[in-house]
Amino acid sequence: MSSPYNAQPSGYPTPPYPGQIPYPPVGGTPYGAYPPPAVGYLPPEAWPAAQHDPRNSPVLANPGQRLGGHALDVLFVFLGAVLVGIVFLLIGRATGRPGSAPESGVLLVCHLVVMLAVVVLYDPVQTVLWGRTLGKRCAGTRAVPLTRPTERLGFGQALSRWLLHLVMTFVPFLGLLNGLWLLWDRPYCQCLHDKVAQTAVIRQQG
C-alpha cells in the first residue's frame, strides 16, 4: 500500500523506465518566447534598429560568401578596366595618329581618369543605387551600417569603406590581415575596413 509520504508531487512526470527517452524539462519554452537563434544570427540587442523578433534579425554572411563576393567584384573591376582600355584604344586609332599627336596626351589622361573612376566608384555607386555590388549580388550578401542593418549605406560611408579596402590591399601584409580579421572578430565578424567604416556584411534575405 502506497503512502502519501513517498508519493510523487503533483505536476512532476514519473521517472522514465529503463530504455525510455527522458521527458523534456517541465514547463518547456515559455509561451510567447522564441527559441534560441540559429548559428549566424545575432541577438536583437546587437542590432538596435532591427526588429525585436530574433527570427527576423539580420544574419551575418559567412567567410566563404564574403570571399566569393569580393573575388567576383575584383574580377568585374578588372573587366571594366579592360573594357575602358579597349574603348580608348579604338578611339586612339580612330584619331589617326596615336602616340604622336597632342591629342594622344589628352586621350591618355582621359583614359586614366575614367579607369580610376571605374575602380573608385564601382562599389559606392552600386551600393547607393541597389544596396549591393554585382559580386555581393551573386554571393547573396550586402554591406550595411553597423547600427542600422535594415538600411543601405550612404555614399560617403560606402566610398570610405571601399577606399579603405583598396588602400589596405596594396599595403604589404595589411591586405592579408584585413581579409583574415573576420575569422576571429566577434560578434560581427568584421574585416578591418568594416571596423573603421562601422559596417557589417549580412546575408541578403529573399
Side-chain angles (χ1 to χ4, degrees), residues 74-166:
V74 170
L75 175 62
F76 293 142
V77 170
F78 175 75
L79 293 177
V82 170
L83 181 60
V84 169
I86 292 175
V87 169
F88 275 90
L89 178 62
L90 294 176
I91 293 175
R93 289 186 176 182
T95 58
R97 292 183 301 172
S100 58
E103 290 81 1
S104 62
V106 176
L107 192 64
L108 178 61
V109 171
C110 292
H111 180 193
L112 294 177
V113 169
V114 173
M115 186 172 293
L116 182 63
V118 169
V119 173
V120 172
L121 299 179
Y122 168 85
D123 186 292
V125 170
Q126 292 185 76
T127 299
V128 171
L129 293 179
W130 303 298
R132 49 185 174 159
T133 61
L134 289 174
K136 289 185 177 64
R137 186 180 297 274
C138 295
T141 64
R142 71 164 61 235
V144 296
L146 187 61
T147 57
R148 304 183 309 278
T150 56
E151 302 178 12
R152 295 183 183 179
L153 292 177
F155 181 81
Q157 194 173 18
L159 178 62
S160 62
R161 179 181 185 274
W162 180 244
L163 288 178
L164 284 168
H165 200 168
L166 290 177

Side-chain angles (χ1 to χ4, degrees), residues 20-94:
Q20 182 185 8
I21 300 175
Y23 294 103
V26 177
T29 302
Y31 179 78
Y34 298 107
V39 176
Y41 286 81
L42 292 181
E45 58 268 20
W47 303 101
Q51 299 180 8
H52 294 291
D53 183 349
R55 297 172 300 179
N56 293 331
S57 295
V59 185
L60 292 171
N62 61 55
Q65 287 177 302
R66 295 200 60 173
L67 178 61
H70 179 63
L72 288 173
D73 279 332
V74 170
L75 175 62
F76 293 142
V77 170
F78 175 75
L79 293 177
V82 170
L83 181 60
V84 169
I86 292 175
V87 169
F88 275 90
L89 178 62
L90 294 176
I91 293 175
R93 289 186 176 182

Side-chain angles (χ1 to χ4, degrees), residues 39-50 57-63 65-66 141-150 161 178-203:
V39 176
Y41 286 81
L42 292 181
E45 58 268 20
W47 303 101
S57 295
V59 185
L60 292 171
N62 61 55
Q65 287 177 302
R66 295 200 60 173
T141 64
R142 71 164 61 235
V144 296
L146 187 61
T147 57
R148 304 183 309 278
T150 56
R161 179 181 185 274
N178 178 44
L180 294 177
W181 197 269
L182 65 89
L183 297 178
W184 55 77
D185 181 75
R186 295 297 180 271
Y188 299 106
C189 299
Q190 295 171 292
C191 293
L192 292 176
H193 66 275
D194 288 312
K195 283 190 168 297
V196 177
Q198 288 295 291
T199 58
V201 178
I202 63 174
R203 300 180 193 175

